[in-house]
Amino acid sequence: MSNLTGLVTGKGRSPGALAQPRKPGDTVTQKTVATVLDEWHSAWPELDLGPLGLFAVLAQVYWLTAPEIERLMAAHGITRGMFDLLTTLRRAGPPYTLGPKELGKSLLLSGAGITNRLDRLEARKLIQRLPDPSDRRGLKIDLTPAGLKLVDRILPQLIRLERSMAAGLTEKKAATLMRLLDEFARQLAQTSRP
């Protein structure tokens, strides 16, 4: 069963599961979203599928791209989630410091999710927790020189990888897709329930 068929039939991956890594030259034969939706219309004509196709294609794109990105991160000894946290600090600009709440908000993570990543990054000396001078009980998270160096080494590689993945889209199509998905993400963020 393809990932897409599994998603649409309710037998998709468990949350957080990654696709099996593909080797260079492997071909992937998958049904298109349109084919799966047509099958549903044939099997259950009165069922309103609503935005099922949208969510199926979003999941499919994730499943097809995540393994390659995870391999890149693993080659540097970190996960994508850890890299996201490091790049959030890098984007903050010098002195590359944010509070845990700011990090959580930017990464859409709970306190526990942030703590787990911080622990792993601190053990690798890529970040450090320091007292917040403006709040005696608070902390600031600093990107260490080693963390900065790692981000600056990985980010160009990631951009090259993502550029190769998106090579089939024109610049105009990629910009339109990004704009529409950003609009969708903002709408979801406004209506999401705690």
CSV table of all heavy atoms in Angstrom, one decimal, residues 10 21 75:
chain,number,residue,atom,x,y,z
A,10,GLY,N,-7.0,5.7,6.0
A,10,GLY,CA,-7.0,5.7,7.4
A,10,GLY,C,-5.9,4.7,8.0
A,10,GLY,O,-5.9,4.4,9.1
A,21,PRO,N,14.2,5.0,4.0
A,21,PRO,CA,15.1,5.8,3.1
A,21,PRO,C,15.1,5.2,1.7
A,21,PRO,O,15.1,3.9,1.6
A,21,PRO,CB,16.4,5.6,3.8
A,21,PRO,CG,16.1,5.2,5.2
A,21,PRO,CD,14.8,4.5,5.2
A,75,ALA,N,24.0,12.9,9.3
A,75,ALA,CA,25.4,13.0,8.9
A,75,ALA,C,26.2,13.9,9.8
A,75,ALA,O,27.4,13.8,9.9
A,75,ALA,CB,25.5,13.3,7.4
